[in-house]
Amino acid sequence: MSEERRLEVLRAIVQDYVRTSEPVGSKALLDRHQLGVSAATVRNDMAVLEEEGLISAPHTSAGRVPTDAGYRLFVDRLSAVKPLTRAERTAIERFLHGAVDLDDVVGRTTRLLSSLTQQVAVVQYPSLTRSTVRHVELVPVGGTRLMVVLIANTGRVEQRVVDVGRDLSHDEGAVGDLRARINAAAVSHPLTAVPTRLADVLDAVVEEDRVVAEAVAQALADVAAEDTEERVVLAGTANLARVGSDFPTSLSSVLDALEEHVVLLRLMGSMSALADEDRVAVSIGHENPYAPLRTTSVVATRYGVSGGLGVVGPTRMDYPQAMAAVRAVAHYVAEILDG
């Protein structure tokens, strides 16, 4: 019973500190929460929590604030992530369904997450190297040039213009036949397997179309080999300045770290690996592997098969709200891209 009561005291301290940013004292706890115990009991519980490293005194005042370990216990003991309201879910769905392409989806998602949570939103583009082929389109663009358009199951669209050494503007039959053969071999297969899958296509085309087929196959192989598609998009960095008191000496280093997209890609990759469609990963303070971000918390999850999204903010974060927003937005993004 005493352990459960102390957890209730910790929960109240976290909630009050997140809301007010002021150290929380025993009198404030009794005034704001129905704890059902005496002031002496609350003070004793706070003393035990401090001994266990779950709360600390930032200065000589009587108030206490949660530590990284305290936030961790609070997050781990959440019985369930509170669902968003119907109005919030409707707003998310309408906002995201207005997107016209993947870039628009990602841009809208970052702005939406930042607005919902008042944190820095981070969205990682779906990786082509872990995607499958939805469709390949071939479009003559004049002279001997042919545009090769790859559409992945994640919504990614890549295009290359290649010189095939032959004017195909008036040879729709050859283009249509090659398009059909390529799609039959590649659709629903991993992009990384496309070069191998197209080997049989090259063997089957007639000799006069072999050069064209080889140029298209090489363009698709080049897309599969590239890793430059690994990108992240940010929104809401100004939100950190709004809570600058949470970063008395580290705000500039946090902002610098957020500019390092390689760092963010690694962070999102490691976080989304811990999550699934129903689980949100939370990394708090010193749990973050990259030193400049150890005054922040990260809430992230996966969307689809290879994308990641989340928020970065101070450890004094409304974790239940952030977790609910991240999970809901990821669900809607996955629905849009899968559709």
Side-chain angles (χ1 to χ4, degrees), residues 84 92 96 109 112-113 116 276-280 300-304 307-310 323-338:
L84 297 182
I92 291 172
L96 292 180
T109 299
L112 178 64
L113 261 183
L116 286 172
D276 54 38
E277 292 182 357
D278 295 315
R279 182 170 180 269
V280 176
T301 193
R302 292 204 309 260
Y303 67 88
L309 60 82
M323 294 165 71
V326 165
R327 187 173 66 179
V329 171
H331 170 77
Y332 283 112
V333 172
E335 275 195 349
I336 291 169
L337 296 182
D338 288 343

Side-chain angles (χ1 to χ4, degrees), residues 204-337:
V205 296
V206 296
E207 186 65 32
E208 64 185 44
D209 293 337
R210 181 71 56 84
V211 173
V212 176
E214 288 176 347
V216 172
Q218 185 59 54
L220 292 172
D222 290 344
V223 171
E226 286 185 357
D227 57 5
T228 54
E229 81 282 3
E230 298 289 355
R231 289 186 286 161
V232 291
V233 176
L234 303 181
T237 51
N239 287 327
L240 294 183
R242 183 177 51 81
V243 290
S245 59
D246 288 286
F247 306 98
T249 61
S250 62
L251 180 56
S252 61
S253 61
V254 171
L255 292 173
D256 288 343
L258 292 175
E259 292 296 320
E260 296 288 339
H261 283 196
V262 172
V263 171
L264 290 179
L265 282 167
R266 291 174 180 169
L267 178 64
M268 295 302 294
S270 62
M271 293 287 289
S272 58
L274 300 174
D276 54 38
E277 292 182 357
D278 295 315
R279 182 170 180 269
V280 176
V282 180
S283 183
I284 300 170
H286 284 79
E287 296 172 355
N288 290 316
Y290 190 57
L293 293 179
R294 287 178 184 161
T295 55
T296 71
S297 286
V298 183
V299 178
T301 193
R302 292 204 309 260
Y303 67 88
V305 295
S306 61
L309 60 82
V311 296
V312 180
T315 54
R316 188 181 63 84
M317 178 188 293
D318 185 344
Y319 291 96
Q321 194 271 343
M323 294 165 71
V326 165
R327 187 173 66 179
V329 171
H331 170 77
Y332 283 112
V333 172
E335 275 195 349
I336 291 169
L337 296 182

